[in-house]
């Protein structure tokens, strides 16, 4: 709120390096600042905490509604919906802590729900707004790209990419004027920012010297790239191609595809495939992040039950693993045990995403489709 107050009249400060407060400088993209500027006025300059909590309670219920609707679109059984409403940590993140990640989570799940219905313009718009709140939303890009290319076309996906650029540029205009572009990008999308070891939730079980080392950071980056390439090669491009190279060649030369093939590829972008790809991409990114904080649970909590279920695990196992994860995220500050559990369960969810069936049912091979 203090950061927002400096941006608003009578200050009109647009230099991102000067938008700071008790929690430090503003390190999130511009849409985050616009949301909190609106909240600044609505809540009497941030003094009406009760009203702020009511707003966030509404945000929580709205996000939960999108999650439930997405689960039902994917054919999730009713029992799987139960853990979605029971997370104490999520209630804290939304209604007590009022984190900006709550807004990013809302727009992310709006994008997921829209994608399950193939409303791709709404998908990309909602995702772009989420990205304008938190750069964590860069994580779903590989999965989102393959969904759009196969569900629409390369040309349409490029136009969507331009739309994202327009939205992000328009939001940043006040902050990039007067040659302040580099300052805005360095703070809003800072890939080199290093978090304190004592606040990390995930890698607390490794020594601090290792945690802070460049070698550890490069190892995690390499692991992230390897996992993404593996999922792209064997999971996310399979509805239309036999592998990543085949996918690139097939879709970069659309003249080789008939209209029947395009329709078939789009049909294969089922709600389950969309959920599988987007949620797996989020979990992979969080698994390979050097440091995540408690507010990141806003992205993980509602993905966990689905990914565990898609692996074919029994309901008792799904609920037990979910409960163990909830307990680990409730430990504050994190310990060797809790952080090892957090990382281990994210690794388990990545494995679950890997073993989940790529297609909902048997489909004709591409070669047979071409002959038809």
């Amino acid at each position: 709120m203090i950061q927002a107050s400096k941006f608003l009249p009578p200050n009109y400060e647009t230099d991102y390096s000067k938008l700071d407060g008790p929690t430090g400088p503003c390190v999130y993209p511009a849409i985050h600042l616009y949301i909190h500027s609106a909240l600044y006025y609505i809540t009497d300059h941030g003094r009406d905490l009760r009203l702020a909590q009511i707003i966030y309670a509404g945000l929580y219920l709205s996000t939960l509604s999108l999650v439930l609707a997405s689960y039902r679109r994917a054919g999730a059984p009713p029992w799987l919906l139960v853990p979605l409403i029971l997370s104490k940590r999520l209630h804290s993140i939304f209604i007590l802590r009022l984190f900006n990640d709550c807004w990013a989570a809302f727009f992310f799940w709006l994008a997921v729900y829209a994608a399950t219905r193939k409303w791709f313009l709404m998908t990309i718009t909602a995702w772009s707004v989420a990205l304008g709140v938190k750069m964590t939303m860069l994580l779903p890009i590989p999965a989102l790209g393959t969904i759009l290319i196969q569900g629409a076309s390369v040309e349409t996906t490029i136009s969507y990419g331009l739309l994202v650029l327009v939205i992000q540029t328009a939001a940043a205009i006040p902050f990039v004027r007067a040659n302040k572009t580099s300052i805005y990008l360095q703070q809003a999308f800072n890939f080199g920012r290093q978090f304190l070891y004592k606040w990390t939730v995930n890698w607390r079980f490794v020594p601090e010297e290792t945690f802070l080392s460049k070698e550890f950071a490069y190892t995690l980056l390499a692991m992230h790239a390897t996992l993404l390439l593996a999922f792209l090669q064997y999971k996310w491009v399979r509805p239309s191609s036999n592998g990543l190279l085949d996918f690139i060649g097939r879709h970069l030369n659309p003249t080789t595809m008939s209209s029947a093939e395009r329709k078939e590829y789009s049909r294969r972008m089922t709600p389950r495939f969309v959920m599988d790809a987007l949620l797996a991409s989020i979990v992979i990114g969080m698994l390979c992040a050097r440091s995540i904080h408690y507010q990141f649970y806003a992205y993980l909590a509602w993905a966990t039950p689905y990914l565990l279920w898609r692996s074919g695990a029994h309901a008792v196992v799904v609920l037990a693993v979910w409960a163990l994860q909830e307990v680990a995220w409730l430990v504050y500050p994190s310990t060797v045990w809790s952080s090892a559990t957090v990382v281990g369960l994210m690794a388990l969810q990545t494995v679950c995403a890997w073993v989940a069936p790529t297609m909902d049912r048997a489909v004709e091979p591409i070669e047979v489709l071409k002959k038809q």
Side-chain angles (χ1 to χ4, degrees):
M1 287 296 184
I2 293 177
Q3 294 171 357
S5 69
K6 293 185 177 181
F7 167 62
L8 296 170
N11 301 303
Y12 294 109
E13 180 59 67
T14 58
D15 186 339
Y16 239 62
S17 64
K18 297 179 181 178
L19 294 175
D20 55 12
T23 59
C26 185
V27 292
Y28 304 118
I31 294 178
H32 146 82
L33 198 59
Y34 294 135
I35 290 173
H36 283 81
S37 296
L39 290 172
Y40 180 80
Y41 285 122
I42 294 171
T43 61
D44 188 22
H45 298 185
R47 289 188 285 265
D48 193 342
L49 280 179
R50 181 179 177 82
L51 178 57
Q53 288 184 303
I54 291 173
I55 293 171
Y56 272 78
L59 179 64
Y60 169 79
L61 292 174
S62 300
T63 310
L64 178 60
S65 298
L66 290 169
V67 175
L68 294 171
S70 299
Y71 268 62
R72 295 306 292 152
R73 288 282 302 163
W79 64 264
L80 194 62
L81 306 182
V82 175
L84 301 179
I85 64 175
L86 297 179
S87 173
K88 181 179 179 181
R89 175 57 70 188
L90 265 188
H91 297 162
S92 173
I93 290 170
F94 273 83
I95 303 171
L96 294 180
R97 306 300 178 182
L98 313 181
F99 282 115
N100 65 318
D101 300 77
C102 304
W103 297 96
F106 168 78
F107 286 107
F108 169 71
W109 278 102
L110 178 58
V112 171
Y113 178 73
T116 65
R117 289 193 168 275
K118 296 189 175 72
W119 298 342
F120 292 135
L121 180 58
M122 180 183 290
T123 298
I124 202 66
T125 302
W127 172 78
S128 184
V129 174
L131 178 62
V133 176
K134 198 78 181 282
M135 65 175 289
T136 307
M137 285 294 102
L138 291 171
L139 297 179
I141 285 181
L144 182 60
T146 58
I147 291 169
L148 294 175
I149 289 172
Q150 294 173 104
S153 66
V154 171
E155 297 88 345
T156 303
T157 303
I158 292 174
S159 68
Y160 287 153
L162 294 175
L163 175 61
V164 173
L165 184 61
V166 168
I167 292 173
Q168 299 302 321
T169 302
I173 284 176
F175 310 104
V176 300
R177 288 182 301 188
N179 297 320
K180 298 173 185 173
T181 305
S182 60
I183 295 175
Y184 173 76
L185 292 177
Q186 287 171 10
Q187 292 197 201
F189 297 94
N190 185 355
F191 293 94
R193 190 153 58 104
Q194 191 162 321
F195 297 98
L196 295 176
Y197 176 74
K198 66 178 181 178
W199 298 122
T200 188
V201 178
N202 51 343
W203 294 105
R204 187 69 177 272
F205 62 93
V206 303
E208 184 172 5
E209 182 179 352
T210 301
F211 175 84
L212 297 174
S213 68
K214 291 184 177 180
E215 292 77 12
F216 184 60
Y218 293 147
T219 299
L220 292 175
L221 181 62
M223 185 170 71
H224 192 186
T226 301
L227 285 171
L228 287 178
L229 285 174
F231 272 80
L232 284 166
Q233 173 72 16
Y234 296 105
K235 303 287 288 185
W236 298 340
V237 304
R238 288 297 167 144
S240 67
S241 309
N242 296 321
L244 189 54
L245 293 178
D246 182 40
F247 176 84
I248 294 172
R250 188 182 301 276
H251 289 279
L252 285 184
N253 187 15
T255 58
T256 62
M257 289 188 289
S258 65
S259 59
E261 285 180 288
R262 282 185 177 273
K263 290 180 180 178
E264 176 63 17
Y265 300 154
S266 181
R267 184 187 67 81
R268 295 179 183 183
M269 296 298 101
T270 63
R272 284 190 183 180
F273 181 84
V274 166
M275 293 270 286
D276 288 354
L278 290 176
L279 299 187
S281 192
I282 285 284
V283 171
I284 290 169
M286 291 184 63
L287 172 65
C288 300
R290 176 156 61 167
S291 181
I292 55 177
H293 293 174
Y294 288 96
Q295 59 265 39
F296 280 71
Y297 201 50
Y299 312 110
L300 178 66
W302 283 319
T304 298
Y306 178 85
L307 292 174
L308 295 173
W309 167 69
R310 283 289 286 145
S311 69
H314 192 276
V316 174
V317 176
V318 172
L319 295 175
V321 172
W322 169 84
L324 179 60
Q325 176 174 268
E326 180 73 14
V327 170
W329 279 83
L330 286 173
V331 175
Y332 177 82
S334 63
T335 63
V336 170
W337 172 86
S338 69
S339 63
T341 302
V342 165
V343 172
L345 293 183
M346 286 193 294
L348 174 62
Q349 291 168 62
T350 302
V351 173
C352 289
W354 181 262
V355 302
T358 302
M359 304 301 296
D360 295 340
R361 61 180 181 82
V363 294
E364 294 286 356
I366 298 300
E367 290 72 17
V368 176
L369 182 65
K370 279 186 174 181
K371 292 180 181 179
Q372 292 175 347

